[in-house]
Amino acid sequence: MPSGLVNQYFRTQNLAHIWCPGCGNGIVTRALVKAIDALGLDKDDVCVVSGIGCSSRAPGYLDFNTLHTTHGRALAFATGVKLANPKLNVIVVTGDGDSSAIGGNHLIHAARRNIDITTIVFNNNTYGMTGGQYSPTTPTGDKGTTAPYGNIDAAFDLCNLAQAAGASYVARGTIYAANQLEKNIIDGIKNKGFSFIEAMTTCPTYYGRKNKKGNAVDMVTYLKEHAINKIAWEKLPEEKKVGKFVIGELYSSTRPEYTEQYDRLIDSFKKGV
Amino acid sequence: MAIKLMQGNEACVAGALKAGMRFYAGYPITPSTEIAEISAEALPKVGGKFIQMEDEIAGMAATLGGSLAGLKSMTATSGPGFSLKQENIGYGIITETPCVIVNVQRSGPSTGLPTSPAQGDILQARWGTHGDHSIIALYPSSVKEIYYTTIRAFNLAEKYRTPVILLLDEIIGHMREKIEIPENDDVEIIDRKVPTCPPEEYKAFKVKEGDIVPEMAGFGTGYRYHVTGLVHDETGFPSGNELVADKLLNRLIDKIENNKDDIVTYDEYMLQDAEYAIISFGAIARSAKAAVDHLREEGIKVGLFRPITIWPSPDKQLLELGKKMKKIYVIEMNAGQYFLEVDRLAGKHTTVEKYGKINGEIITPEDIVSFVKEDQNA
């Protein structure tokens, strides 16, 4: 990243970060900062909220209004912040366990309300902070420290989940295709409603080592070789989709946004309707 | 002077609005639901926000979020919901986020007797969230007192930058009583102190000399800072340093414990010449007051001490009572929770007896009279 952006958007006094060598979280954070820069948002009007986990440490490094909350509850806190002050651009940074296990209820309800919050899930398929336990996005059969014989759970497709719950913008990206991820984050922030972006990232330290996925480069190469863009994906015969996953903007729609609806209610009393 | 017939839960919302509540997030639960319903109706009319969240935990989280964004915020719950809120109450304590949590108590544990009264959350209010901390919990005993105590709960939350717990009894929450509210009520309203320094000089968790708590900027007001539930230094950023931890955690305790003279309130009845004291709070203090009158008629010199601030405890007053009284009776609708606190303090100097009920039945004046008389005759 150009050093100008680091100086402009990072709390450089709080660096170095806590992430392991080879961790992909920095690439997702970079994409977020580049998206905010591209949109020209005023730093005072940006609020980044997170829960607990490796990815949730990102806000501490960023020079915005930042809120590092309790495990799973980032979206519930963010809902309060956004409703209380709708002029803020509220962005939630969360992990796969934080957003879809302990915080799964808040995810589906924030999507249902279509509240104007952009949620970026750093999906590394594991609980990194606690040392590599299986998460709701650990593929079936893969190992974690709490799945020593292989995970028998089925994994969530987080994008399908968010779309089904009512998100008005849904996209998936990878840390390999970082420019496309950045574009999706830009579109997500621009969307007036609940935006959900799943960023596929890597945890070579725990998930990678436990599942013999190679080093950090091998894991990024895996993302490169298995991620298929939406346009190509739709032309692909079903048998060729096996083992691959789709990236890009997956869904977009327009429907009433929650805080605008509430402000309309307040206005109706002002007008004496 | 407006004279109204009001339910306790209704008076709670009226007091909250008077105090400046502009944000409410919660989840329906008996017997607190009216507080949510009335807030939902009232808030948009004054430009405030109400949201029914997906669960109790989210209700607490959104309440804190609303406060961080600059609005005076409240949530209300009961028994099981109070348990679910505890982790985020702790978050409110360590991040010094003002808010009011109303707990209209019901019988427990678990689902218990959902529509029956109990005073079983005295110790959960004190120690419900994990880790060492102090807390402010208030306990009114009439509809009118609910109105003024709710205002006070907001004032203390804003002044001390901390979650304040308002313990209500189901009996008063659902009871209708006459309440007089002056048209031009000049009751004091306290707002959090906000920074005026240039943003680059703002240290979000530094206490200025002469202040009790750090100045609090709302998100979006030009003061960009970090809020975390981790132990943090004066800038708000996480620290694992033991000196930083020591300073922060003790400051959070001290800001409450060292200001008891301001925070602690209580009521006394017929204690001047009393030889025996009854200690009771909330709805049961009303039974106790009637019992005092009855016992006095029978020549027993008894008085009533009613803590309105339950936590921090009125330790000076309890110690004094211990020195003066031949005996103290703690009457509460639980198995002896506040008794432990009274016995810890007054018990150094006198005998402390307890009487309680945990079956959802109210403690009547007759119950108290016969308990005291039996004890006196024993």
Side-chain angles (χ1 to χ4, degrees), chain A residues 11 13-14 42-47 57 59-61 63-71 73 75-88 102 105-107 109-110 112-113 115 258 262-263 265-266 269-270, chain B residues 23-24 39-41 43-55 57-71 87-88 91 95 218-230 235 237-238:
Chain A
R11 290 164 172 152
Q13 74 275 20
N14 294 337
D42 187 329
K43 290 198 287 184
D44 290 340
D45 296 336
V46 175
C47 181
R57 289 301 185 95
Y61 309 126
D63 186 19
F64 304 108
N65 304 281
T66 54
L67 180 58
H68 177 219
T69 71
T70 48
H71 196 19
R73 317 303 170 198
L75 271 165
F77 277 86
T79 297
V81 170
K82 180 69 186 180
L83 181 59
N85 186 356
K87 84 170 168 66
L88 288 168
I102 190 166
N105 199 27
H106 312 308
L107 172 62
H109 288 277
R112 174 177 66 83
R113 291 186 190 104
I115 188 165
Y258 187 83
Y262 202 97
D263 283 342
L265 173 66
I266 291 173
F269 287 109
K270 283 182 191 157
Chain B
F23 191 92
Y24 181 103
S39 296
E41 192 182 338
L43 277 169
K45 292 181 184 171
V46 295
K49 310 287 175 74
F50 169 91
I51 186 166
Q52 183 171 309
M53 294 300 287
E54 52 273 17
D55 57 35
I57 298 169
M60 191 65 238
T63 298
L64 292 166
S67 181
L68 287 160
L71 301 185
E87 185 197 6
N88 282 336
Y91 186 85
T95 61
F219 281 162
T221 58
Y223 294 87
R224 296 186 305 275
Y225 66 104
H226 188 55
V227 178
T228 178
L230 289 163
T235 66
F237 296 109

Side-chain angles (χ1 to χ4, degrees), chain B residues 76-120:
Chain B
T77 188
S78 185
F82 192 50
S83 298
L84 285 165
K85 284 177 164 24
Q86 292 299 338
E87 185 197 6
N88 282 336
I89 292 174
Y91 186 85
I93 291 168
I94 200 168
T95 61
E96 301 183 75
T97 306
C99 63
V100 174
I101 302 122
V102 187
N103 174 13
V104 189
Q105 293 164 94
R106 64 189 234 189
S107 166
S110 190
T111 314
L113 297 163
T115 58
S116 295
Q119 300 183 317

Side-chain angles (χ1 to χ4, degrees), chain A:
Chain A
M1 183 187 290
S3 60
L5 281 185
V6 173
N7 288 330
Q8 195 179 343
Y9 293 105
F10 280 72
R11 290 164 172 152
T12 49
Q13 74 275 20
N14 294 337
L15 298 172
H17 57 67
I18 64 157
W19 298 321
C20 303
C23 172
N25 287 354
I27 300 174
V28 186
T29 307
R30 174 186 190 269
L32 167 62
V33 166
K34 285 191 76 187
I36 289 170
D37 186 62
L39 288 165
L41 302 180
D42 187 329
K43 290 198 287 184
D44 290 340
D45 296 336
V46 175
C47 181
V48 185
V49 186
S50 68
I52 294 292
C54 294
S55 55
S56 288
R57 289 301 185 95
Y61 309 126
L62 300 174
D63 186 19
F64 304 108
N65 304 281
T66 54
L67 180 58
H68 177 219
T69 71
T70 48
H71 196 19
R73 317 303 170 198
L75 271 165
F77 277 86
T79 297
V81 170
K82 180 69 186 180
L83 181 59
N85 186 356
K87 84 170 168 66
L88 288 168
N89 293 287
V90 178
I91 296 158
V92 165
V93 167
T94 176
D96 40 304
D98 194 50
S99 67
S100 71
I102 190 166
N105 199 27
H106 312 308
L107 172 62
I108 59 175
H109 288 277
R112 174 177 66 83
R113 291 186 190 104
N114 197 35
I115 188 165
D116 188 18
I117 294 171
T118 300
T119 295
I120 304 167
V121 177
F122 294 43
N123 183 1
N124 61 3
N125 311 103
T126 194
Y127 286 90
M129 188 70 95
T130 45
Q133 297 74 36
Y134 71 101
S135 87
T137 64
T138 303
T140 308
D142 278 5
K143 289 179 178 170
T145 58
T146 47
Y149 313 113
N151 171 28
I152 59 170
D153 285 21
F156 262 141
D157 180 324
L158 295 182
C159 289
N160 280 349
L161 177 69
Q163 184 183 334
S168 51
Y169 179 88
V170 179
R172 181 185 289 121
T174 71
I175 57 163
Y176 175 77
N179 290 340
Q180 178 236 292
L181 175 64
E182 179 193 326
K183 190 191 170 302
N184 290 145
I185 296 173
I186 290 172
D187 291 342
I189 294 172
K190 275 159 68 176
N191 172 49
K192 195 80 192 150
F194 188 76
S195 301
F196 182 85
I197 296 143
E198 180 184 14
M200 301 300 299
T201 180
T202 51
C203 176
T205 302
Y206 292 114
Y207 177 73
R209 190 157 56 190
K210 198 85 189 167
N211 289 289
K212 299 188 169 51
K213 299 282 185 187
N215 62 22
V217 176
D218 296 329
M219 292 183 77
V220 176
T221 306
Y222 177 90
L223 291 176
K224 175 191 173 186
E225 289 172 351
H226 292 78
I228 312 281
N229 253 299
K230 178 94 185 307
I231 299 162
W233 179 266
E234 281 171 351
K235 292 175 189 156
L236 218 59
E238 284 304 313
E239 67 271 17
K240 293 210 167 172
K241 289 181 180 172
V242 178
K244 304 275 173 59
F245 60 92
V246 59
I247 59 169
E249 178 184 311
L250 304 180
Y251 178 76
S252 158
S253 69
T254 307
R255 67 185 187 90
E257 191 276 325
Y258 187 83
T259 61
E260 284 184 350
Q261 294 280 94
Y262 202 97
D263 283 342
R264 224 163 276 149
L265 173 66
I266 291 173
D267 285 344
S268 74
F269 287 109
K270 283 182 191 157
K271 288 170 195 150
V273 175

Side-chain angles (χ1 to χ4, degrees), chain B residues 302-356:
Chain B
V302 62
L304 171 68
F305 181 82
R306 176 171 72 89
I308 303 170
T309 305
I310 290 284
W311 306 113
S313 82
D315 48 6
K316 265 192 262 175
Q317 291 75 15
L318 292 176
L319 267 172
E320 276 308 302
L321 277 179
K323 286 178 191 164
K324 285 182 193 158
M325 299 296 146
K326 286 185 182 166
K327 208 169 209 180
I328 292 176
Y329 302 101
V330 183
I331 316 286
E332 51 188 333
M333 238 185 334
N334 59 50
Q337 295 191 20
Y338 197 67
F339 162 79
L340 293 172
E341 184 69 359
V342 178
D343 196 43
R344 181 178 76 83
L345 295 156
K348 288 173 186 165
H349 305 288
T350 191
T351 309
V352 184
E353 300 282 354
K354 64 178 175 180
Y355 177 80

